[in-house]
Amino acid sequence: MKGFKLHSTIGDLFANMLGGGGSKFSPPVVMGDESIMSPKEHGTSNTPVQQNLRWGCDFETADRICNFNRHYAEFSGYWEARTSFLKDESAASGEIEFFDSNSGKPLFIAPKNRSFEDFVKESKNHGWPSFRDDEVVWDNVRILPNGEAISVDGTHLGHNLPDRKGNRYCINLVSVAGQLSTSK
């Protein structure tokens, strides 16, 4: 299937499901390595999350998930139950930019090559905003061999969980609710 390669053994499949595998994903995925997530001044990042997160995302939840976490997520459905995302955004919004909650760098632009309704439907089905390859800003996003999605600045974003359509990036809204950074 486009977007990922099949596991060579059942053991490799289970290792990846448990977060310990060594899979490589096919282009356009840009692979990263563990050094990106090495300890820094504020967990895995140099700074805490921005104070003014979009869509009413909670600062403490965002900071914990973005900077002091490698495996856990906001609860399933958080993005629709606890934020204003679905009230603030619609098909009329066009392509929505999602920025790193720490650095303010663009990470995803969605929907692309699908409707807003399709983006929301898939995200609701999976419990988290779900992005596809065309919607990733690869200059600022990396995928680790175990499928963890991270920013180049060390922000934990979520995971790549491929399905029959290809790569599917299940991303914590609190991780991509930042404001655009104006600093160079």
Side-chain angles (χ1 to χ4, degrees):
M1 286 189 217
K2 181 183 171 199
F4 68 99
K5 73 179 200 180
L6 296 175
H7 302 281
S8 58
T9 68
I10 297 296
D12 188 29
L13 172 65
F14 285 120
N16 277 299
M17 290 171 62
L18 297 173
S23 182
K24 294 197 180 203
F25 300 93
S26 300
V29 171
V30 178
M31 299 299 293
D33 62 58
E34 283 294 325
S35 66
I36 298 169
M37 298 302 281
S38 64
K40 298 177 187 71
E41 291 178 37
H42 193 77
T44 58
S45 180
N46 287 320
T47 62
V49 297
Q50 299 171 355
Q51 291 288 330
N52 57 340
L53 296 175
R54 295 160 67 199
W55 307 300
C57 288
D58 179 68
F59 174 88
E60 289 181 17
T61 301
D63 200 46
R64 184 178 66 252
I65 289 172
C66 292
N67 298 312
F68 298 98
N69 162 61
R70 297 293 305 281
H71 305 287
Y72 301 105
E74 64 199 21
F75 68 81
S76 177
Y78 172 91
W79 71 281
E80 53 182 319
R82 296 277 175 94
T83 75
S84 63
F85 182 84
L86 291 175
K87 291 179 187 123
D88 296 347
E89 307 297 348
S90 68
S93 303
E95 291 182 349
I96 303 160
E97 291 184 275
F98 296 82
F99 302 103
D100 189 318
S101 291
N102 287 315
S103 71
K105 291 179 181 176
L107 300 175
F108 299 93
I109 302 170
K112 280 190 175 182
N113 299 318
R114 59 180 170 163
S115 69
F116 178 80
E117 291 76 17
D118 288 344
F119 170 75
V120 169
K121 180 179 179 183
E122 180 174 58
S123 297
K124 282 183 175 184
N125 285 342
H126 298 291
W128 290 268
S130 295
F131 301 92
R132 295 294 177 166
D133 286 332
D134 291 346
E135 298 168 327
V136 181
V137 179
W138 289 112
D139 287 345
N140 300 323
V141 175
R142 298 292 180 267
I143 305 301
L144 298 183
N146 67 358
E148 182 181 4
I150 61 173
S151 79
V152 295
D153 296 307
T155 305
H156 171 80
L157 305 175
H159 289 85
N160 180 15
L161 302 171
D163 63 12
R164 61 182 170 72
K165 295 179 185 175
N167 291 313
R168 178 172 48 86
Y169 307 95
C170 292
I171 302 300
N172 296 294
L173 187 64
V174 297
S175 299
V176 296
Q179 302 285 339
L180 174 63
S181 173
T182 55
S183 62
K184 298 278 177 185

